[in-house]
Amino acid sequence: MFNKILIANRGEIACRVIQTARRMGVATVAVYSDADRDALHVAMADEAVHIGPSPARESYLDQARILDAATKTGAEAIHPGYGFLSENAGFARACAAAGIVFVGPGADAIAAMGSKSAAKRIMGDAGVPLVPGYHGEDQSPATLRKAADDMGYPVLLKAAAGGGGKGMRQVWQASEFDDALAAAKRESMASFDDDAMLVEKYLTQPRHVEIQVFFDHHGNGVYLAERDCSLQRRHQKVIEEAPAPGVSEALRKRMGEAALDAARAIDYRGAGTVEFLLDVDGSFYFMEMNTRLQVEHPVTEMITGLDLVQWQLEVAAGQTLPLAQDEVTITGHAFEARIYAEDAEQDFLPATGTLSFLRPPVESQHVRVDTGVVEGDEISVYYDPMIAKLVAWDENRDRALSRLGRALADYRIGGTVTNVEFLYNLATNAAFRAAELDTGFIERHSDELYQRRAVDRERQVPVAALALLLWRQREGSVATFGESQSPWRSQSAWRLNQGAVHRFAMACQEETLDVCVEQVGDSYHISVGEISATIGGELDGDALLYDWQGHRQRATLAGGPDGFTLYGAAGACHFREVPPDTGEADHGADDGGLVAPMNGTIVALLVEPGTAVEADTPLLVMEAMKMEHTLRAPAAGTVTGFLAAPGDLVDGGAALIEFTPTGDSE
Ligand code: ADP
């Protein structure tokens, strides 16, 4: 076994590899860019080497710097993770030339699978079933079109160099072909600098089922069951599971053996994944082979009890595979949900932000969280905005899915928008529970999936009001520590000749609510508009324990400069305190009215640039934390320009409006 390895990656996969290496007694070297100076993978590794500026092509994709870091630190092998250099044949060759083991297949195997069309030719020759289609060298539009006409519509155009669903177009009839070809070529050229296309029969209701294979250097190969990755959005995986529902032992064996044939055809070594489309009639077709560890490998680990990174390192070190095919067993069922900073309501636009609050569910034999971030970390524009992979296991599919739903409900993330609620809607969807799977699932069920859980005002608002009061009392007593006996400094509403009544305003769901709380013994009588309730409760750290008519519940209060989120069984409720109206115009604290108060999205610009306005004129509306915020003129003056446009995502503190107060002009 190696003494020391370098991990040429970042984020959760770098952390994941480091964990196994540590358990195996292998020392680890991390590499990092400027943006990742304080990242978790850097802190976890035994050593870390700075490899350049934040953009990936100047750091994580810089082969020379990475090899230099390996040589300098005496690392004997490089684990590439996934993405970045993991499927770069040139890098695998450069490692070999530098006398460093590349943890992955040989460069030739990577190169052979690098082109979808070349891969199909190899697989066709090896007798692996292929989707009917054209994957020839003649790329003239007439040839491609004839291929499509001959096989009959619908067809799928695919970029030969493609990945991540880019450069792909469905064509439903001959009249659409030319436009679709032009669009697919443009996209492919932009993403891969190559516009070679293949044309395939488009299967209308396929499932994406992939086989995990493993080969050593001694001629042994096994398949480790399959994963179903049919839950996709625009051809990108959202939730994966293993085993694939409804796949019989006989079908598993046929697909497994086809996958082994595929790998043997390119003299494969190490971990690989052979992706198939599984049609409704049980026929399956080779799609592509990924010559690396997949993002979704944990579901395979959960059902086989194996550590695939350990296997990778053992194979790379020349050891034989630890198990033969008949020793591989499957126990139970596992799901993986990919948690991203992205806005489901804005077409899954990637989001950025600082993770001001981060409480993953508690890990156990049933719940695993693979992540590369901690509270306070930033999701930056430089890399993939994945926050974590949440994995749930149980003895059968139904129970595992319930575990996943619960764990998603317990995942609390503040400071950026995430897809957690969308994933929760998926995990609790009846059709998904019934395993009615195919790659069109998300599109077909979009009505149910994109729904936000409605805030149950009657139940959530009083609890939010109580949480806010308890938080204020605690923060107040902290601020006046040492003087807390003074009735003048106390935040409690105790006043001579008055009951303990607190009045304040809070904003919840774009509405400002006047709250009145009367403290009666251990209980609080809360009225907000027509809603009233008597609740007992205490705030312990960020845990709110409350008792409402004998029903005790627990919620988590995430507080920050941007307001609060209360996470409870019924979902999340966002609210903030509204400063008391002092009778003066609210100028948005010290001119802060002209900068974004928090991360959010610009909704509307309310005046034309160049307009002279009165103090307090609404100028811009942004949305953040599910609430709209209006920025107003801090004084009479002129709006000289806007620094953001509707739809833009802006960071808290970013300047948004150029404003010249009257009298300041020269
Ligand atoms: P990429 O490498 O860009 O991810 P793939 O070839 O792996 O592209 O295909 C991605 C997804 O596109 C598949 O999981 C499947 O949902 C869909 N897909 C690919 N080929 C076909 C086809 N012939 N018919 C129907 N759907 C397909």
Side-chain angles (χ1 to χ4, degrees), residues 240-472:
E240 303 95 346
E241 61 181 296
V247 166
S248 65
E249 204 42 64
L251 178 57
R252 174 168 303 127
K253 188 157 190 283
R254 278 196 289 132
M255 292 183 83
E257 280 168 4
L260 294 180
D261 288 344
R264 280 193 197 102
I266 53 168
D267 199 18
Y268 202 76
R269 305 276 179 273
T273 294
V274 184
E275 298 188 334
F276 292 104
L277 286 175
L278 176 62
D279 211 351
V280 265
D281 63 1
S283 34
F284 57 89
Y285 309 99
F286 171 83
M287 207 165 17
E288 65 170 344
M289 179 163 185
N290 291 320
T291 54
R292 52 168 162 84
L293 192 68
Q294 301 268 96
V295 174
E296 60 273 23
H297 76 276
V299 291
T300 300
E301 296 186 320
M302 298 302 272
I303 62 162
T304 57
L306 303 172
D307 180 332
L308 299 195
V309 173
Q310 180 178 344
W311 276 40
Q312 283 191 297
L313 295 178
E314 287 170 356
V315 165
Q319 299 179 13
T320 44
L321 287 183
L323 296 181
Q325 190 64 57
D326 58 4
E327 293 169 314
V328 176
T329 54
I330 299 178
T331 311
H333 203 99
F335 287 91
E336 174 187 277
R338 300 184 184 198
I339 298 182
Y340 273 95
E342 61 182 15
D343 192 346
E345 283 178 6
Q346 291 198 51
D347 205 17
F348 294 87
L349 197 68
T352 55
T354 301
L355 299 169
S356 56
F357 188 82
L358 187 61
R359 297 283 183 286
V362 178
E363 292 193 76
S364 66
Q365 75 172 124
H366 295 285
V367 176
R368 164 173 165 183
V369 180
D370 281 18
T371 188
V373 290
V374 295
E375 190 170 280
D377 279 357
E378 192 179 341
I379 303 294
S380 74
V381 293
Y382 297 110
Y383 315 110
D384 180 80
M386 189 199 273
I387 296 172
K389 304 186 315 203
L390 174 62
V391 184
W393 175 91
D394 211 323
E395 54 196 35
N396 59 46
R397 185 176 191 272
D398 226 38
R399 295 181 66 159
L401 192 54
S402 299
R403 295 260 183 206
L404 182 71
R406 286 222 41 186
L408 283 165
D410 284 346
Y411 218 121
R412 276 121 206 220
I413 304 170
T416 181
V417 284
T418 72
N419 63 344
V420 170
E421 193 158 336
F422 177 76
L423 293 171
Y424 177 86
N425 291 348
L426 262 175
T428 52
N429 182 277
F432 183 43
R433 185 164 289 266
E436 290 166 12
L437 294 174
D438 68 76
T439 56
F441 184 95
I442 289 182
E443 209 169 294
R444 197 165 55 247
H445 294 277
S446 56
D447 285 355
E448 306 139 53
L449 298 176
Y450 290 88
Q451 247 171 39
R452 284 205 162 275
R453 278 201 282 173
V455 174
D456 178 352
R457 283 173 46 97
E458 301 270 314
R459 296 213 62 87
Q460 294 193 347
V461 167
V463 181
L466 175 62
L468 184 53
L469 174 69
L470 295 175
W471 187 86
R472 278 177 33 154

Side-chain angles (χ1 to χ4, degrees), residues 116 131 156 158 162-166 168 200-203 206 208 232 235 275 277 287-288 439:
K116 284 188 205 279
V131 188
L156 186 66
K158 266 190 198 179
K166 296 204 185 76
M168 226 188 250
E200 269 178 16
K201 180 83 199 147
Y202 183 67
L203 307 180
H208 173 123
Q232 302 182 348
H235 307 300
E275 298 188 334
L277 286 175
M287 207 165 17
E288 65 170 344
T439 56

